[in-house]
Amino acid sequence: MIILISFLIFLFGLCLGSFLNVCIYRLPKGQSIVSPPSHCPLCQTLILPQDNIPLLSFIILKGKCHSCKGDISWRYPLVEFLSGLLLVLLFLAFGFSWHFLFYSIFSLSLLLLSFIDLEHHILPDIITLPGIFCGLIFNIILWLFSFRISSFENIFLNSLLGILIGGGILYISAVVGKFVFKREAMGGGDIKLAAMIGAFWGWEKLLGALFLAFLFGSLVGIALILFKKKKRGEEIPFGPFLSLGGILFIFLGNEIVHLYRAILLS
């Protein structure tokens, strides 16, 4: 039964991923995400329903537009697959629960922001600012269903501190980076994204997520320079690394917090 439900959730995730692809393409351009219907970005031909089946159509069409035979970006099937995979993993971890609902919104939002940042080097306020509010609401709803009346103040304060510390750390990084490197080292979108992650996770887990983001960002940056894919000092989008840290903490957050607590106290 779980296998069947997981498969259905994966299919639903593929459909959500197809919608995320529309958002990735249109939001940075200021276009509507509902109109006009999906079309080829190269020849502008409307995509037929049979050519718009998530993941499957890309395979059948061999990565080519049905009309102009232009290449379809690998981003489309990748986002669809990752969306389906994330939903399945969240279902297996949390079942049908408030955690599943809000972590789905959270992780898919981070996936959306990551690919927008990779392609356009921006993190739209229309996603990050509502995301901050959503993180606060998430923690309040969890408190309401936990029946721990005395803990509301702690939960709300933890989320609020996560917003302030997340945005504050990256704001300080931006100021220091601009002073040291004489150029913008951290964008305003990164600051708001860190605040959004802090709203969901609270300050302590946020610090772990930021540590992972800086760690992975440094490792990837060094690798790109060594393999001559990037030049020293060339900009690398930080949003995907922040998002990766935020998503990893869904599944490994408690273990990571216990680990660095043990290291600090040893």
Side-chain angles (χ1 to χ4, degrees), residues 27-28 94-95 103 112 121 145 160 168:
L27 283 179
F94 303 104
Y103 286 154
L112 170 60
H121 291 204
F145 284 87
L160 191 60

Side-chain angles (χ1 to χ4, degrees), residues 27-102:
L27 283 179
K29 300 176 182 290
Q31 299 176 352
S32 169
I33 59 175
V34 294
S35 179
S38 297
H39 55 274
C40 173
L42 299 176
C43 66
Q44 304 301 311
T45 303
L46 291 181
I47 298 176
L48 299 173
Q50 61 267 30
D51 294 331
N52 204 23
I53 304 171
L55 203 59
L56 188 60
S57 290
F58 183 86
I59 298 172
I60 294 174
L61 294 172
K62 298 179 180 178
K64 303 287 184 181
C65 170
H66 181 79
S67 299
C68 69
K69 306 304 179 185
D71 289 334
I72 301 173
S73 171
W74 274 93
R75 186 249 296 165
Y76 289 90
L78 180 59
V79 170
E80 290 166 355
F81 175 77
L82 290 176
S83 299
L85 178 63
L86 278 172
L87 288 195
V88 170
L89 292 176
L90 290 170
F91 167 70
L92 294 176
F94 303 104
F96 289 117
S97 62
W98 283 108
H99 285 85
F100 172 73
L101 174 62
F102 279 96

Side-chain angles (χ1 to χ4, degrees), residues 40-259:
C40 173
L42 299 176
C43 66
Q44 304 301 311
T45 303
L46 291 181
I47 298 176
L48 299 173
Q50 61 267 30
D51 294 331
N52 204 23
I53 304 171
L55 203 59
L56 188 60
S57 290
F58 183 86
I59 298 172
I60 294 174
L61 294 172
K62 298 179 180 178
K64 303 287 184 181
C65 170
H66 181 79
S67 299
C68 69
K69 306 304 179 185
D71 289 334
I72 301 173
S73 171
W74 274 93
R75 186 249 296 165
Y76 289 90
L78 180 59
V79 170
E80 290 166 355
F81 175 77
L82 290 176
S83 299
L85 178 63
L86 278 172
L87 288 195
V88 170
L89 292 176
L90 290 170
F91 167 70
L92 294 176
F94 303 104
F96 289 117
S97 62
W98 283 108
H99 285 85
F100 172 73
L101 174 62
F102 279 96
Y103 286 154
S104 294
I105 296 171
F106 177 63
S107 59
L108 292 179
S109 296
L110 293 180
L111 186 64
L112 170 60
L113 287 165
S114 294
F115 280 90
I116 289 178
D117 200 19
L118 284 171
E119 289 196 13
H120 304 279
H121 291 204
I122 60 172
L123 293 164
D125 289 349
I126 196 173
I127 304 170
T128 55
L129 294 181
I132 294 172
F133 178 74
C134 189
L136 281 170
I137 296 300
F138 165 67
N139 283 287
I140 291 172
I141 288 178
L142 284 188
W143 166 76
L144 288 173
F145 284 87
S146 68
F147 302 106
R148 294 179 296 172
I149 298 175
S150 61
S151 66
F152 172 75
E153 194 172 302
N154 291 335
I155 289 174
F156 184 78
L157 182 62
N158 189 35
S159 182
L160 191 60
L161 283 174
I163 296 171
L164 296 175
I165 293 174
I169 288 177
L170 263 70
Y171 177 75
I172 293 171
S173 299
V175 172
V176 173
K178 190 170 185 179
F179 176 77
V180 173
F181 301 109
K182 308 302 180 184
R183 62 181 177 81
E184 188 175 273
M186 196 73 65
D190 296 317
I191 295 170
K192 294 164 192 170
L193 175 55
M196 171 182 161
I197 294 172
F200 273 89
W201 284 132
W203 71 270
E204 190 172 25
K205 287 185 178 181
L206 165 76
L207 294 178
L210 289 179
F211 170 77
L212 291 178
F214 282 111
L215 174 63
F216 288 128
S218 299
L219 292 175
V220 171
I222 291 170
L224 289 174
I225 292 172
L226 289 176
F227 288 99
K228 298 182 179 180
K229 299 295 184 181
K230 290 281 186 180
K231 297 179 181 178
R232 188 182 298 273
E234 191 173 350
E235 180 182 354
I236 298 174
F238 192 53
F241 301 109
L242 283 171
S243 299
L244 179 60
I247 290 174
L248 284 177
F249 257 73
I250 295 176
F251 305 102
L252 302 172
N254 290 330
E255 289 78 5
I256 295 173
V257 169
H258 291 327
L259 178 61

